[in-house]
Amino acid sequence: MLESNVVTIARFVVGQERLAPRTTRGFASLLHDIALAAKLIAREVNKAGLVDILGGAGKQNVHGESVQKLDEFANRVMYRALDHTGLVACMASEENDTYIPIPDKFPAGDYVVIFDPLDGSSNIDVNVSIGTIFSIYRKITDGQRGTLEDCLQPGSRQVAAGYVLYGSSTMLVYTSRAGVHGFTLDPSIGEFVLSHPQMCFPDLPRKVYSVNEAYFDRWSRGQQRLISHLKNDGRFGSRYIGSFVADFHRTLLQGGIFMYPAERENPSGKLRLLYEASPIAMIAEQAGGRASTGLQDLSDVVPESLHQRTPVYVGSADLVDLAESFLQGASEI
Ligand code: FDP
């Protein structure tokens, strides 16, 4: 029997359903499937350091089987966890060029699931935290199965969003518009247990900004002035891991602002709207923060293509407001 104070994610989600206006009973099952995929990915991520012993990607492992790259593995695990459930209309993944239909042999459902199976994957080789990001919408087209149009919805229409952080422990953080809640994987029972209920950006005296400052010379004057302002403010420290989920998770726990700005030669920035920015924006808003392109709320941006990129400013609401005040009107890029 479970200890009386342990709340597993399965138990918590069922209890939340009546608070989450846009979800149905199937949502609990969907989140359960994503949590299962996360556990399988976490197991492989933890083995990544043994790759030289077991064989690197593209090589044969000790069993003579070919070894997949971790991001391809994570992509497959997410797909296989969701394709047959009868809950999903279609999917889209950062790893696939086009949207992913549900195979005809399986029933289709109402939810559209969009994911980045392994974000920050350039950090794998150096043992830095990486993550999975997911975003859930309802199908908006009339047909039985989902289409590209169902995937191209603004973040404001998300039913739920979340991420899994593969760090010193594995954490799953999600929102279904009833607050943001964090669960830590307890390896001894193989379950995500509630560890961070009702997460909110704190207002601490020491502030942190997070940006890849090596790109300073490529930024607009407004962005450069913003960073100079933060440096002169006296209250700010700087942290940048270079892994979006890990940088955002720290920002959520400690407050501050994460930025991936536009560049003069690359006005769209680097991060993907559907797979990275929109889900993290929803979590930020539900945690009392804000997310912006620098010019408008990220949640209002209507995607035109699956792999569209966007500048990102996310974190404590006052700091995102401040960033916008430097960027809006500063059109001389
Ligand atoms: P990565 O290239 O390692 O996959 O969008 C992907 C991402 O990582 C984010 O996780 C991270 O925030 C960003 O790129 C880092 O980009 P820079 O190296 O340009 O700072």
Side-chain angles (χ1 to χ4, degrees), residues 90-109:
C90 64
M91 301 177 230
S93 163
E94 210 253 351
E95 291 286 319
N96 293 61
D97 292 339
T98 57
Y99 83 96
I100 310 167
I102 298 299
D104 288 341
K105 63 180 175 185
F106 296 129

Side-chain angles (χ1 to χ4, degrees), residues 119-123 212 215 240 242-244 258 260 270-271 276:
D119 185 71
S121 47
S122 66
N123 292 296
N212 191 338
Y215 303 147
Y240 188 74
S243 181
F244 186 36
F258 171 88
Y260 205 109
K270 180 181 184 187
L271 302 187
E276 298 173 300

Side-chain angles (χ1 to χ4, degrees), residues 42-54:
R43 194 181 62 186
E44 290 306 301
V45 169
N46 288 337
K47 282 199 297 202
L50 296 170
V51 81
D52 289 340
I53 301 166
L54 301 176

Side-chain angles (χ1 to χ4, degrees), residues 91 108 166 230 274:
M91 301 177 230
Y166 309 102
L230 297 177
L274 281 168

